[in-house]
């Protein structure tokens, strides 16, 4: 049953969706944007669920990953498919700079990492010899055509593949000894230290994994839109949208953040924005409040309860 479900998901992602909407550039654009948000939401949820850290600064990882990949490919001729993971490594290096804030907890950690995001945005603006300053980087090469498919379809396939790979990595980490230790830290970090768990090292590892994932999706987005400037790359939306998506879908599950991103972004852009050209985000706000009130664990938890109800 489990393998049948996985096979159905793969067929839907790699065959049904491309056949159904592959010829429509507008829908494909919406899907790629939703998947990028879903990838960032997955990285944010991993840090919150396994690392126990609420980050308000993931825009730093998204922006750095985007800039590293864009500069390497546009100015130094690095192939796009090689530049994207290098963008993730750039985000990991940035996370190492943030390690001193790991000793902070709760809102203090969240605010400290938010401050780092602002610092990196200012650096991207002022370091114009490398980043192009406020003018940004233009002419960023897109993904190469895959099997004759255009750039949008190639971007979609790359984004879907990355989400599946990262979700599998998330699953393996969560099921490992380290994942169990990290989840135990949620109940009592001091107690896990007593039994010999080095919580600082584990949290540092989760921060680097989360940074890599967010940086890679920042790079994917840069190669999709072909342009980058500091205010966009480090925009606060790269924090708020993934958080909303992860909480709406269920940030303690692996699929929840991605499902949440697809539902929230596509519903907002394709339905609410059509009905309400201005102020359509209000509807999302109301839905999020209702979800938190009636199902704090998110959409995936709510669906599981609905499925289990007839057998109760």
């Amino acid at each position: 049953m489990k393998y049948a479900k996985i096979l159905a998901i793969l067929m839907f992602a790699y065959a049904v969706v491309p056949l159904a909407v592959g010829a429509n550039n507008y829908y494909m654009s919406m899907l790629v944007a939703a998947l990028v948000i879903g990838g960032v939401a997955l990285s944010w949820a991993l840090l919150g669920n396994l690392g126990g850290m609420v980050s308000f600064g993931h825009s730093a990882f998204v922006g750095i990953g985007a800039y590293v990949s864009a500069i390497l490919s546009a100015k130094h001729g690095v192939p796009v498919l090689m530049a994207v993971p290098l963008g993730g490594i750039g985000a990991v290096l940035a996370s190492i700079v943030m390690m001193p804030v790991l000793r902070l907890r709760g809102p203090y950690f969240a605010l400290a990492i938010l401050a780092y995001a602002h610092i990196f945005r200012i650096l991207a603006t002022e370091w114009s010899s490398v980043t192009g300053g406020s003018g940004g980087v233009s002419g960023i090469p897109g993904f190469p055509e895959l099997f004759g498919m255009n750039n949008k379809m190639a971007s979609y396939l790359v984004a879907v593949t990355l989400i599946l790979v990262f979700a599998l990595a998330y699953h393996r980490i969560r099921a490992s000894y380290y994942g169990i230790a990290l989840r135990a830290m949620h109940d009592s970090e001091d107690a896990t230290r007593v039994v010999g768990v080095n919580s600082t090292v584990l949290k540092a590892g989760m921060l680097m994994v989360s940074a890599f994932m967010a940086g890679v999706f920042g790079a994917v987005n840069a190669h999709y839109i072909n342009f980058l400037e500091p205010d966009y790359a480090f925009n606060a939306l790269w924090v708020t949208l993934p958080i909303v998506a992860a909480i709406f879908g269920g940030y303690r599950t692996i699929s929840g953040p991605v499902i949440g991103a697809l539902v929230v972004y596509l519903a907002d852009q394709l339905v609410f924005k059509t009905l309400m050209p201005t102020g359509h985000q209000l509807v999302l706000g109301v839905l999020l409040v209702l979800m938190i009130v009636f199902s704090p664990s998110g959409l995936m938890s709510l669906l599981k309860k609905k499925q289990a109800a007839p057998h109760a």
Side-chain angles (χ1 to χ4, degrees):
M1 183 65 184
K2 180 181 177 182
Y3 293 108
K5 187 182 290 185
I6 294 173
L7 183 61
I9 293 172
L10 292 176
M11 286 186 63
F12 182 80
Y14 286 108
V16 176
V17 171
L19 287 173
V21 299
N24 190 312
N25 286 337
Y26 178 68
Y27 287 153
M28 289 306 296
S29 298
M30 295 293 104
L31 269 176
V32 173
L35 289 171
V36 168
I37 294 168
V40 180
L42 186 66
S43 73
W44 182 86
L46 179 144
L47 187 65
N49 190 24
L50 296 187
M53 294 173 280
V54 176
S55 167
F56 288 164
H58 259 51
S59 57
F61 305 136
V62 174
I64 290 168
Y67 263 103
V68 170
S69 188
I71 291 170
L72 288 176
S73 59
K75 297 187 177 181
H76 300 285
V78 176
V80 173
L81 293 179
M82 188 182 296
V84 168
L86 290 175
I89 292 173
V92 171
L93 295 177
S95 73
I96 293 174
V97 179
M98 301 177 182
M99 292 300 172
V101 305
L102 286 177
R103 62 189 179 87
L104 302 176
R105 297 185 183 181
Y108 300 104
F109 171 82
L111 291 175
I113 203 168
L114 175 63
Y116 272 106
H118 284 291
I119 290 171
F120 284 119
R121 183 181 61 79
I122 293 170
L123 282 175
T125 304
E126 299 298 328
W127 199 6
S128 56
S129 60
V130 175
T131 64
S134 57
V137 181
S138 59
I140 301 171
F143 287 100
E145 290 187 356
L146 297 175
F147 310 110
M149 298 175 181
N150 61 26
N151 175 260
K152 285 185 171 52
M153 182 61 76
S155 301
Y156 166 80
L157 292 175
V158 169
V160 166
T161 303
L162 286 172
I163 280 182
L164 291 174
V165 170
F166 287 157
L168 178 62
Y170 187 171
H171 172 71
R172 297 295 295 269
I173 292 172
R174 191 173 68 167
S176 70
Y177 161 80
Y178 303 104
I180 295 170
L182 284 161
R183 280 184 284 168
M185 284 165 45
H186 274 293
D187 297 327
S188 176
E189 186 171 334
D190 292 333
T192 52
R193 282 180 175 170
V194 169
V195 297
V197 175
N198 191 328
S199 59
T200 303
V201 171
L202 289 180
K203 287 161 69 175
M206 285 305 96
L207 181 62
M208 288 192 285
V209 172
S210 180
F212 180 79
M213 292 165 61
V216 164
F217 276 99
V220 169
N221 189 52
H223 292 289
Y224 179 69
I225 63 174
N226 309 123
F227 175 77
L228 207 59
E229 50 92 16
D231 287 341
Y232 172 78
F234 295 92
N235 196 289
L237 283 175
W238 293 117
V239 181
T240 53
L241 273 179
I243 291 176
V244 169
I247 293 176
F248 188 87
Y251 84 98
R252 290 194 181 281
T253 65
I254 296 176
S255 60
V258 179
I259 299 296
L262 290 169
V263 172
V264 167
Y265 187 78
L266 295 180
D268 180 56
Q269 294 296 311
L270 300 178
V271 180
F272 304 142
K273 192 175 181 180
T274 303
L275 298 174
M276 299 171 59
T278 58
H280 50 93
Q281 293 92 347
L282 288 173
V283 181
L284 282 183
V286 172
L287 287 178
L288 182 63
V289 170
L290 292 174
M291 182 63 75
I292 292 172
V293 170
F294 294 105
S295 181
S297 299
L299 180 64
M300 297 309 294
S301 176
L302 186 64
L303 293 176
K304 286 179 181 177
K305 288 178 183 175
K306 291 287 185 185
Q307 289 176 349
H311 304 289

